[in-house]
Amino acid sequence: QVQLVESGGGLVQAGGSLRLSCAASGRTFSSYVMGWFRQAPGKEREFVATIRWSGGSAYGDSVKGRFTISRDNAKNTVYLQMSKLKPEDTAVYYCAATLSLGVRTRTLEYDYWGQGTQVTVSS
C-alpha cells in the first residue's frame, strides 16, 4: 500500500515556473514507477510524465521540452518541474504509482493516486 500526497500547486503567470512534489509513504518507493497526470475541467485525465526507479522517463507530447520529472528515492519523493507554463496547462495535477514495469502512460496502469493539486496559469 502506498499513500501519495502532492504539493506545490498554485497560481502562476504564463511563462512562469512551478515545481510540484509528491511524497510517498512506504519503504518500497524505489520499486514503483511514478507518474504525473492532469485533469482540466470537462476533460479526461491526461498523461504528463512518468519515471522508473532507474530514472528513465517519458513525457506527454504537450509538455515535452517544458516539464521535467525526477525522483529522490532516499526521500520517497517525485517531482515535476514545470517551466514555460501556458494557460492550457491549467488543471488539477495528480501523482500516481504502480509496480508494473516499463513505461506506463495510461491511468488504468496505475494503482495508487494522490488527491491532486491545483495549478492555474493566468494569461
Side-chain angles (χ1 to χ4, degrees):
Q1 189 78 9
V2 175
Q3 292 186 328
L4 305 172
V5 179
E6 302 98 334
S7 61
L11 174 64
V12 63
Q13 289 188 332
S17 299
L18 275 178
R19 188 177 81 157
L20 305 183
S21 300
C22 173
S25 65
R27 294 177 292 177
T28 58
F29 173 77
S30 61
S31 301
Y32 286 85
V33 170
M34 302 299 297
W36 285 98
F37 290 77
R38 67 186 182 186
Q39 189 166 19
K43 295 187 177 181
E44 293 187 352
R45 196 164 293 190
E46 175 190 19
F47 167 71
V48 175
T50 183
I51 187 167
R52 291 175 285 179
W53 70 271
S54 61
S57 59
Y59 297 88
D61 289 340
S62 61
V63 306
K64 281 180 183 177
R66 300 188 298 121
F67 290 12
T68 302
I69 189 171
S70 61
R71 66 190 296 163
D72 186 335
N73 290 332
K75 295 182 178 180
N76 283 14
T77 301
V78 63
Y79 304 97
L80 185 68
Q81 178 68 48
M82 306 185 293
S83 304
K84 301 178 182 178
L85 283 161
K86 306 174 182 179
E88 51 264 44
D89 294 318
T90 295
V92 177
Y93 283 72
Y94 296 91
C95 175
T98 178
L99 282 172
S100 299
L101 300 177
V103 177
R104 301 297 172 185
T105 64
R106 299 184 300 168
T107 58
L108 291 177
E109 295 174 315
Y110 286 81
D111 304 305
Y112 305 101
W113 292 85
Q115 81 289 349
T117 185
Q118 177 71 47
V119 172
T120 302
V121 184
S122 63
S123 58

